[in-house]
Every structure is written in structure tokens, then in C-alpha cells.
Amino acid sequence: IYSPEPQPVTWYWRCGDSNMTGNASVGLHDTVLTFPSDRKYNGVVCYCKVRPSAANDSYSKMSNHLTINVRYTPRSIPFLNASNTAVVAGEEITLQCTLDTLGNPQVTWTWKCGRYAVYNQRTVNVNATSKLILKGEPDLNNKVCHCVARNYFLHYEAASNAVSLSVYYFPDERPRIDNTLITVDQNTPVTIRCYLSTRGNPPVAWLWYCDDKLQSKGVGSTGTLSTLMVIAKLKDHNAACHCRAKSDSQWGSYDKNSSKAIINIKNLDLITTKSSAITADVFGAVTGIVVLLIIMAGIVVVFHHRKITDMSNQFLTTRRDNDMSSSVGQDNLNYRTLKEEQAHPTE
């Protein structure tokens, strides 16, 4: 106050609901209130009041009001809470970040999923809470999300904890085969490739068939690519091969086949002619060998037969000679006996 004739006065200080008089110093014409710039005083309205010390003086005036502005940052880092982080494609995901206070000036919120900030999504900021509402798209699968609170004026920046998202979905296409007609030389390796833009979640399993027969050898898969490697034999000419992508889960199933790739052996007519000629030559040679073996076997049989016959004839001749010698001896013995009986008749 200003008075040409200073008189003793009494000062009062009030900030919000608090009597701050005890914190003030008093001069002849003024008073000074000093207190620490705590965040609790931010937005508080302060004023002073004066009246003469004389009991009979009714003068009492209130000063203008002053709003206190204390700049401060949050004490904590944001805490991220998610009620649902695993959804089927098309469903909503809600993420919520909370601070103890927004600070002054208030922090700004930024949401990140992966390496990039999230834009064009619904955000709701209420008091010290920021809520992000996402539609479950396939490109959000396996993305790690978190929020960031910033106060550039006070150089404050804090990131929340992170959560990983899972979006269950199937490919929206059938597998694509890279070539529908494959022309190769006989006994040449053939690699057939099948593609998908995404394997889905859970990932599809790859299967390969040639002429509707499941192939267990030569199958390889890397991400969205699957390959089949075969050695093109003559029997594989015009073989129709295709891939199959299959996935089953509690949310549904996916089972689709690609178009077919036809394996074509080059110069098949020439190969067939040569093969036929070779077969005829081989057949002729084999037939000749068989005939020769039959002839030799016949000769051996005839030889052995003649040998056996000669041995049999020799045996029969020897036996006949022996029989004749025995008969002659017996006849001689009988003749001598008869002569003796005639010379000495029995009495």
C-alpha cells in the first residue's frame, strides 16, 4: 500500500484454503510472501489483505488475485496395461497407459508398435491416462507396442513397459506356383517353387504331391516359400505336381492347393526310339545267349547219355561172358561125372 502518513497496519496472506501469513515478511508499506514452488501450489490463487492496527479504524482491503503456475513433470514413468493382446483378425485391441499426473505443462502421448509411431488410430486421453484402440490386422501380429510421455519444455521423456500382440489369421489367397510347365532333360534336377504372401498365424504347413502321391523327399520350406526338388526320370514325364498349404486352429481352418506344374522330358521320342533299339539289341543278344546255352546243354545231355549207354552195354557184355563161362564149366563137370559112373557101375 502507499500512504503519505504511514500508520501501523496488519497483513494477512491466503493461498487457496491455506493461511500463509506466517510465511510473509512485513515492511512499512509492503509485505512479501515466500514459499517453495511445490506442485501442490500449481493453479492456486493467492491474495493479501490489509487493515489498520488501530481498533477504531474500519479500513480493510483485499489485493488483486494471483494464480500460481508451477512447472513440473510426472514423478513416475507410464504404466501400460492391456486387457487383450491376443485377438482374431478384425477384433479390437485396447491398450491403456497411466501416469500419476500429466505435469505442467501437460505431457503429450505417443504410441509405438514396432519401430514406428502409430497414427490414424483411435486414441482417448482422459486426465493422466491415454487409451489406444487398434483393429486387429495381420500386420500387427508379433508387434511390440508401448507408449511414450513427453514434456519438451522440461526435457522429460519416459517410455512405458511393452506388450506383444498376437493376431490370429489365415492367408487370404491360394498358394502360387512359379511355373506350370517345366521342360528339362532326362536325369536333370527339377526345383518347383510355391509362394504365399504370408503364412498366417498359426503358420500353415506345406505339403507336396505329384500325380496325387504325397512326396516325402526333396521338400524344403523357408517362411512363405516352399520347394520340391526331384530328379526328372523317364517315368516322370507329364507328371503333375502341386503344393498344398494347410492350417487348423480353434479359430478356423485353411486348406488350399496351388495350380499344377507339368514336368516335360525333352526329346522324349528320340529317347524312346533309342531305348527301344537298345531294348531290341539287348533282347537279341539275350535270346542268342539263351539259344547257345540250350544247345550246349543239349550237347552235354547227349554226351552223358551216350556215355551211360556205353557203360550199360559193356556191363551187359561182361555179364553174358561170365554166364557163358560158368555154363561151359558146369557142362564139363557133368560130363566127367557121367563117364565115371559108366566105368564103375553101382553094385
Side-chain angles (χ1 to χ4, degrees):
I1 61 171
Y2 174 75
S3 172
E5 296 180 3
Q7 297 181 11
V9 294
T10 301
W11 296 95
Y12 294 93
W13 278 97
R14 181 167 291 273
C15 290
D17 296 331
S18 300
N19 184 348
M20 306 289 287
T21 304
N23 295 351
S25 60
V26 177
L28 185 61
H29 296 118
D30 59 4
T31 179
V32 178
L33 175 64
T34 304
F35 57 94
S37 57
D38 192 281
R39 67 177 63 194
K40 67 181 181 179
Y41 295 121
N42 182 56
V44 170
V45 176
C46 294
Y47 61 91
C48 67
K49 202 173 181 182
V50 63
R51 61 183 178 86
S53 299
N56 60 353
D57 195 330
S58 60
Y59 173 82
S60 180
K61 294 293 182 180
M62 182 187 297
S63 72
N64 55 308
H65 291 54
L66 179 66
T67 301
I68 306 301
N69 184 25
V70 180
R71 294 189 294 270
Y72 64 96
T73 62
R75 291 191 178 99
S76 64
I77 64 173
F79 175 73
L80 173 57
N81 179 48
S83 57
N84 54 336
T85 57
V87 298
V88 179
E91 296 180 349
E92 287 188 343
I93 301 173
T94 301
L95 307 178
Q96 180 174 295
C97 264
T98 304
L99 278 168
D100 61 317
T101 177
L102 287 174
N104 182 40
Q106 293 185 356
V107 298
T108 58
W109 293 100
T110 303
W111 285 91
K112 287 187 175 182
C113 289
R115 295 182 298 169
Y116 305 103
V118 177
Y119 298 104
N120 302 323
Q121 301 290 342
R122 285 191 294 162
T123 56
V124 180
N125 299 327
V126 178
N127 297 325
T129 299
S130 180
K131 184 181 294 186
L132 174 66
I133 303 172
L134 298 168
K135 184 179 180 180
E137 299 289 351
D139 58 357
L140 285 177
N141 185 50
N142 292 330
K143 286 291 191 303
V144 177
C145 298
H146 69 279
C147 68
V148 178
R150 289 188 179 90
N151 185 323
Y152 292 104
F153 187 80
L154 298 177
H155 308 290
Y156 169 85
E157 180 174 333
S160 72
N161 54 305
V163 296
S164 179
L165 306 182
S166 295
V167 179
Y168 301 106
Y169 67 99
F170 298 116
D172 55 2
E173 59 185 343
R174 62 183 293 187
R176 304 184 306 276
I177 210 158
D178 62 349
N179 198 349
T180 56
L181 180 61
I182 303 172
T183 303
V184 294
D185 294 320
Q186 186 182 8
N187 298 323
T188 301
V190 178
T191 300
I192 310 173
R193 296 176 176 85
C194 234
Y195 303 87
L196 276 171
S197 59
T198 175
R199 290 184 66 190
N201 182 36
V204 298
W206 291 102
L207 301 169
W208 279 92
Y209 298 85
C210 287
D211 290 338
D212 297 326
K213 294 180 180 178
L214 181 64
Q215 303 298 300
S216 59
K217 296 181 179 180
V219 177
S221 300
T222 305
T224 57
L225 169 66
S226 182
T227 59
L228 172 67
M229 196 280 287
V230 297
I231 304 298
K233 302 292 185 181
L234 193 60
K235 64 180 180 62
D236 297 319
H237 180 65
N238 284 334
C241 299
H242 72 277
C243 71
R244 177 186 179 189
K246 189 175 184 298
S247 177
D248 292 308
S249 70
Q250 58 181 327
W251 301 278
S253 62
Y254 173 91
D255 192 350
K256 293 186 182 296
N257 295 317
S258 70
S259 56
K260 294 185 177 181
I262 307 300
I263 299 176
N264 182 46
I265 306 297
K266 292 181 182 178
N267 304 319
L268 182 63
D269 295 338
L270 180 59
I271 294 173
T272 305
T273 302
K274 289 182 178 180
S275 177
S276 299
I278 292 172
T279 302
D281 293 342
V282 171
F283 177 77
V286 171
T287 303
I289 292 172
V290 171
V291 171
L292 181 60
L293 291 174
I294 292 173
I295 293 173
M296 292 177 66
I299 292 172
V300 171
V301 170
V302 170
F303 173 78
H304 281 281
H305 177 72
R306 292 184 63 183
K307 188 174 182 179
I308 292 171
T309 302
D310 292 344
M311 292 176 64
S312 177
N313 291 334
Q314 184 179 0
F315 174 77
L316 292 175
T317 301
T318 302
R319 182 175 181 181
R320 186 172 57 250
D321 291 343
N322 292 335
D323 290 342
M324 289 178 66
S325 298
S326 176
S327 176
V328 171
Q330 185 67 39
D331 291 341
N332 292 333
L333 177 62
N334 293 335
Y335 178 74
R336 287 193 302 270
T337 304
L338 179 62
K339 293 295 287 183
E340 289 176 1
E341 289 178 353
Q342 290 176 356
H344 303 284
T346 306
E347 292 180 358

